[in-house]
Amino acid sequence: MPHSAFTFDDLQRYAPSVAEPDDFDEFWRATLTEAAAVPVLVDVRPEPTDLRLLDSWDVTFAGFGGDPVRAWYTRPAGVREPLPALVEYAGYGRGRGLPHERLTWPVAGYAHLLMDNRGQAGQHGAGDTPDPHGAPGGPSPATWGILDPRTYHYRRLITDAVRAVEAVRALPGVEGDRVSVVGNSQGGGLALAVAGLVDDLSAVLTTAPFLCDMRRAVALTDLAPYGEIARYLAVHREAEEAVWRTLSYVDAVSFARRATAPAQFGVGQRDTVCPPRTAFAAYNHYGAANGRPVPPERQMHVYPFNGHEGGEAVHVRRQLCWLDSVLQTVRASVM
């Protein structure tokens, strides 16, 4: 059945068993422990933007392997008190761009950190963080180092994403106990990964997430990024077992199962880039294995006539309203 043939009822019931290696937790525990041995902030300097209502800083923090990762930190100008923070992750083939490109969250009153994607800029947006780690694999980020989970590009990128949360908490003007993550497509997959690795987030906002139910996704679509993995396997037929093993360490469904923070999802039901059933795999498993007696709040918005673009500005408005309500609850619980 093609993914577009799945009804909404089918999607609500879709909770596949996703392969998960026995050492999944230890793999990520060791990876993050190694990263944490390096102080997180490397450099923070003011960035002129000619925007009178916002202040921006050019931030460099230590990501995977201590590698310098760039980010923009932006917050409302003239506001002295600490603010709740949002860490945003960019989509596939994009970078952090220019500091005035993504202003929704700081204009809404948040301290906002936009993380660059190591090595990916140039396809759909600008960035300036290299990925200096070479390993056997294909020509695109989705296949860099794909033969071994230790060398895979997404081990490094997910580690960067966790370190971005640590970085924003170390920056001035941030309420460290009210930090949330947000992302679309690849950024949505990174947000889910962080949700499973950082147990004290305030909220998770993910739309059209990549990295979910990956073996199924590769079978469903020929479009990038999943299609790049299929094209790699079309040439390297002997690599299939190694590739599936590597992907099992970065599948966002496994991270979602461990998540503890409230989450809001958004999908376009006609998405052919990140098929909607794969997002529902993460949604339906969300918080199922976090060891807590009460599962976290979660909600899903489906746009039946939209593709990878999802709900666009309509959904952003829903994100703004939902996050505000969640953070009010967080504030009340700590007062």
Side-chain angles (χ1 to χ4, degrees):
M1 179 187 294
H3 63 83
S4 59
F6 260 45
T7 67
F8 181 66
D9 287 342
D10 294 330
L11 293 171
Q12 287 185 306
R13 292 191 296 268
Y14 185 67
S17 177
V18 172
E20 186 178 294
D22 291 339
D23 65 340
F24 181 90
D25 291 313
E26 178 54 34
F27 176 86
W28 284 106
R29 187 179 301 112
T31 296
L32 298 180
T33 298
E34 181 179 351
V38 180
V40 69
L41 286 183
V42 175
D43 189 50
V44 182
R45 61 185 64 190
E47 178 70 17
T49 64
D50 299 316
L51 298 174
R52 296 185 179 89
L53 301 182
L54 297 172
D55 291 329
S56 294
W57 289 262
D58 186 350
V59 173
T60 304
F61 67 88
F64 176 87
D67 298 335
V69 179
R70 307 294 292 277
W72 295 122
Y73 176 51
T74 305
R75 51 177 284 133
V79 178
R80 298 184 181 278
E81 65 268 20
L83 296 172
L86 206 66
V87 178
E88 183 173 3
Y89 307 113
Y92 189 72
R94 299 184 183 275
R96 64 173 181 160
L98 298 173
H100 56 269
E101 288 187 37
R102 300 194 184 205
L103 301 181
T104 296
W105 297 106
V107 169
Y110 295 93
H112 177 242
L113 187 77
L114 174 61
M115 186 187 87
D116 205 12
N117 286 329
R118 62 164 63 221
Q120 289 194 17
Q123 294 186 58
H124 307 294
D128 43 16
T129 300
D131 187 359
H133 303 269
S140 61
T143 58
W144 289 343
I146 199 170
L147 296 178
D148 191 311
R150 295 168 297 180
T151 62
Y152 193 34
H153 175 68
Y154 281 94
R155 180 190 183 209
R156 301 189 290 278
L157 197 59
I158 289 169
T159 302
D160 293 348
V162 170
R163 293 286 278 170
V165 172
E166 298 170 10
V168 83
R169 284 177 164 154
L171 289 168
V174 169
E175 288 188 54
D177 58 353
R178 292 206 296 167
V179 174
S180 305
V181 293
V182 61
N184 176 70
S185 194
Q186 175 184 264
L190 292 176
L192 287 172
V194 174
L197 294 170
V198 179
D199 64 5
D200 59 349
L201 294 174
S202 293
V204 179
L205 301 99
T206 178
T207 55
F210 176 47
L211 300 175
C212 297
D213 193 11
M214 294 188 74
R215 186 164 184 167
R216 173 66 64 180
V218 171
L220 286 173
T221 181
D222 291 328
L223 299 179
Y226 291 119
E228 295 171 347
I229 298 171
R231 286 189 286 278
Y232 176 81
L233 289 172
V235 175
H236 302 276
R237 298 170 180 87
E238 76 290 347
E240 186 173 352
E241 182 178 350
V243 166
W244 299 138
R245 176 177 178 271
T246 293
L247 296 181
S248 71
Y249 284 87
V250 300
D251 198 306
V253 173
S254 295
F255 292 115
R257 294 178 68 245
R258 292 160 168 78
T260 59
Q264 186 200 59
F265 289 68
V267 298
Q269 199 166 342
R270 300 186 180 206
D271 191 342
T272 55
V273 176
C274 295
R277 79 170 80 167
T278 64
F280 268 89
Y283 176 77
N284 289 330
H285 280 292
Y286 192 85
N290 66 12
R292 299 190 180 185
V294 179
E297 174 197 343
R298 61 191 171 100
Q299 63 175 232
M300 171 71 84
H301 293 282
V302 178
Y303 300 92
F305 303 103
N306 290 98
H308 195 55
E309 78 282 1
E312 298 185 305
V314 169
H315 189 68
V316 171
R317 181 68 184 275
R318 287 174 169 168
Q319 288 180 316
L320 288 163
C321 294
W322 179 81
L323 182 58
D324 183 63
S325 68
V326 168
L327 292 181
Q328 288 185 30
T329 301
V330 171
R331 172 176 283 176
S333 68
V334 298
M335 291 182 65

